[in-house]
Amino acid sequence: MNSTSTSNRPAILVTGGAGFIGSHVCVELINSGYLPVVVDNLCNSKEESLKRVTQIAGVEPVFYQADINDKDAMRKVFAAHSFEAVMHFAGLKAVGESSQLPMKYYRYNVAGTLSLTEVMEEFKVWKLIFSSSATVYGDPVSVPIDETFVTSATNPYGRSKLIVEEILRDIANAPNNQWNISLLRYFNPVGAHESGLIGEDPAGIPNNLLPYVAQVAIGKLQQLAVFGNDYNTVDGTGVRDYIHVVDLALGHVAALQSLDKSGVGCRAYNLGTGSGYSVLQMVSAFEAASGRKVPYKISPRRPGDIASCYADADLAKSELGWEAKFGLERMMQDAWRWQEKNPNGYDS
């Protein structure tokens, strides 16, 4: 690492920083003058992503291979750095898998966050940005969804995020609290960095729509399974708010900078575009961007899925000064560039 380029940069701990969202956040942190210090156990990510972050941004993130449940390892990381804040991405994120392995999800997502916050408290690091999810809204009574909606969950993944949100609110509301916490409720991150160097690299069969579509287009997978075509939506398939991962990363930087201006407490923000697209609309847009056909079959609905989910992101605009800039065409072009340049992900 070039010490002259990092010595004056405030250090931000990024748990899960080698993952899809975390690596893009590392780029934008560097671009904004920070030094990302990454802790990742690499259970569903690759260290290669951080090497490519260095290629893109010109500064090498500090990396520790460790698990946030390992408090001794985390104490060593905190002892080696003076952190201004923590961005917490580490966790498991597959809705379907969470219904099969709920205990695993509570161990990683809930217990892991408790371990992290306990070590933060020991080292008096009070600023935290938590990677939450629109799944905390459950099956919403209407759309678009704003932050005042009642929260609930339809699957263990969403429930793990909701439990963590409630824990963090309790921490922030405790007497003599010094915590300053932002809960960022993402909708559906897609796309990739415009360089094509970093993107989504799922282990095994993708759990999320767009990487699955991309792997069908490139020929790695035979066809897409569309889960349900009898929802009350434009074409019967599920509608979601898809947000470019770079927009999402910039939302984290905006939230970090707002922590410096706001007082103690815990606040939730939606990060989305405010528009919803169906599965079949996404397939059509990807075919247009890639020039490839994406064959699909209709399959039964999955347990825990809902018909429609998209954001009202006005609060993030008014309080964080952030809004999504990239549209669906750009999301698809960047996703295809990543897939075409890296047909086997970071192993290409």
Side-chain angles (χ1 to χ4, degrees):
M1 185 190 304
N2 182 346
S3 60
T4 59
S5 65
T6 62
S7 58
N8 296 321
R9 291 173 174 263
I12 307 297
L13 177 62
V14 185
T15 73
F20 173 44
I21 299 170
S23 59
H24 287 82
V25 168
C26 285
V27 169
E28 299 309 330
L29 283 171
I30 293 167
N31 288 344
S32 299
Y34 299 95
L35 174 65
V37 178
V38 172
V39 167
D40 201 306
N41 67 3
L42 302 181
C43 78
N44 53 14
S45 58
K46 302 232 172 60
E47 189 178 353
E48 173 65 23
S49 68
L50 299 177
K51 296 175 183 175
R52 298 192 185 188
V53 166
T54 307
Q55 279 183 260
I56 294 167
V59 170
E60 181 183 358
V62 180
F63 174 60
Y64 297 90
Q65 185 172 347
D67 193 300
I68 58 170
N69 278 291
D70 183 345
K71 290 174 77 170
D72 286 340
M74 294 303 294
R75 288 186 183 105
K76 290 175 183 175
V77 174
F78 275 79
H81 302 274
S82 179
F83 290 121
E84 180 170 303
V86 174
M87 291 187 175
H88 179 31
F89 301 95
L92 303 174
K93 62 177 186 177
V95 168
E97 183 188 58
S98 77
S99 296
Q100 303 295 319
L101 301 168
M103 286 193 291
K104 183 179 179 182
Y105 273 69
Y106 292 128
R107 163 60 59 191
Y108 274 86
N109 294 2
V110 179
T113 304
L114 272 176
S115 295
L116 173 65
T117 51
E118 285 166 350
V119 176
M120 288 177 67
E121 186 174 52
E122 286 178 35
F123 285 84
K124 296 181 169 51
V125 178
W126 305 112
K127 293 179 182 177
L128 175 64
I129 295 172
F130 173 58
S131 167
S132 191
S133 165
T135 55
V136 302
Y137 294 115
D139 193 349
V141 294
S142 63
V143 287
I145 300 163
D146 70 36
E147 292 85 352
T148 66
F149 275 41
V150 173
T151 52
S152 64
T154 61
N155 54 72
Y157 164 71
R159 199 165 292 110
S160 74
K161 293 292 189 182
L162 187 53
I163 290 168
V164 170
E165 281 201 8
E166 291 172 347
I167 289 169
L168 295 176
R169 286 189 192 280
D170 287 342
I171 290 172
N173 290 333
N176 304 314
N177 159 57
Q178 299 181 63
W179 288 89
N180 195 350
I181 300 170
S182 281
L183 313 172
L184 301 186
R185 294 170 175 169
Y186 314 159
F187 282 67
N188 292 65
V190 296
H193 191 269
E194 64 181 352
S195 65
L197 286 170
I198 57 174
E200 191 164 7
D201 182 22
I205 302 298
N207 287 298
N208 296 331
L209 174 65
L210 199 58
Y212 204 109
V213 168
Q215 290 191 16
V216 172
I218 204 85
K220 281 187 72 177
L221 296 172
Q222 187 175 358
Q223 65 180 359
L224 172 70
V226 176
F227 297 105
N229 67 342
D230 56 351
Y231 289 107
N232 184 22
T233 62
V234 61
D235 55 23
T237 63
V239 168
R240 297 292 182 270
D241 186 335
Y242 295 93
I243 177 172
H244 197 296
V245 66
V246 173
D247 274 334
L248 191 63
L250 291 168
H252 286 77
V253 175
L256 173 64
Q257 293 169 344
S258 81
L259 288 181
D260 295 330
K261 303 167 192 169
S262 56
V264 297
C266 183
R267 291 157 293 274
Y269 298 99
N270 289 340
L271 296 187
T273 66
S275 299
Y277 297 97
S278 75
V279 174
L280 294 185
Q281 286 172 330
M282 294 291 284
V283 168
S284 177
F286 196 86
E287 288 179 336
S290 66
R292 304 283 186 94
K293 290 298 292 179
V294 178
Y296 65 87
K297 65 175 181 179
I298 304 299
S299 298
R301 293 185 183 190
R302 292 182 300 188
D305 274 350
I306 60 175
S308 188
C309 179
Y310 56 93
D312 178 332
D314 285 350
L315 189 64
K317 183 177 181 180
S318 63
E319 294 195 5
L320 305 181
W322 171 91
E323 62 181 323
K325 304 288 188 189
F326 298 126
L328 185 61
E329 184 179 3
R330 173 67 182 272
M331 297 180 208
M332 296 304 179
Q333 289 169 347
D334 288 344
W336 175 241
R337 185 180 302 109
W338 155 256
Q339 184 66 68
E340 194 172 32
K341 289 180 73 169
N342 305 272
N344 296 306
Y346 290 115
D347 294 329
S348 297

